[in-house]
Amino acid sequence: MALNYKWNWGVFFETIPSGDVTYLTWILHGLGWTVSISLCAWVIALALGSIVGTLRTVPHRGIAMIGHAWVEFFRNVPILLQLAAMVGIGDDEISGGAGSDVMTGGA
C-alpha cells in the first residue's frame, strides 16, 4: 500500500495573511526564541545548582542546612504541583493579574 501524497513545501514561502513575512520566517523566529530561552534556562540552572550544591558542602551547619532544605523541598514536592505553582505565579505577572481566570477556567 503506497501513499502518493504530494507534499506542499511551498507553503513555507507564502506570506502570512498580514503580508509582512513568510511562514518560514515565523518558524525560524520561533526556533531562535526557543533556543535562546533554553540556553538562558540552562545557564540559570547551572549557576543555581552550583550554588546550592556548594552550600551543601560548606562546613558551617546553618548554611549547609539551607542547601539541604532547598534540595529536599524540590525532591519531595511532586513535579505536577511545582508546575502548577509556577504557572499560576508566572501567569499573574505576565497577564497583569488574570491568572486566577486561567487557573479556574474563567470563573
Side-chain angles (χ1 to χ4, degrees):
M1 177 180 192
L3 298 176
N4 293 324
Y5 185 76
K6 304 264 193 266
W7 294 96
N8 183 14
W9 296 106
V11 74
F12 291 115
F13 302 106
E14 294 176 6
T15 58
I16 60 173
S18 64
D20 298 14
V21 293
T22 63
Y23 287 109
L24 182 62
T25 306
W26 266 12
I27 292 171
L28 294 177
H29 186 73
L31 179 65
W33 271 106
T34 301
V35 169
S36 63
I37 289 172
S38 298
L39 288 175
C40 288
W42 182 81
V43 168
I44 291 169
L46 179 66
L48 193 59
S50 297
I51 291 169
V52 172
T54 303
L55 285 178
R56 293 182 67 191
T57 63
V58 174
H60 189 273
R61 186 171 172 89
I63 295 174
M65 285 182 67
I66 293 171
H68 285 290
W70 177 276
V71 170
E72 290 303 316
F73 174 77
F74 284 102
R75 279 185 181 170
N76 292 314
V77 175
I79 191 72
L80 287 176
L81 185 60
Q82 292 177 25
L83 289 172
M86 290 177 198
V87 167
I89 292 168
D91 185 56
D92 284 343
E93 295 171 3
I94 293 170
S95 67
S100 58
D101 292 341
V102 173
M103 296 301 284
T104 59

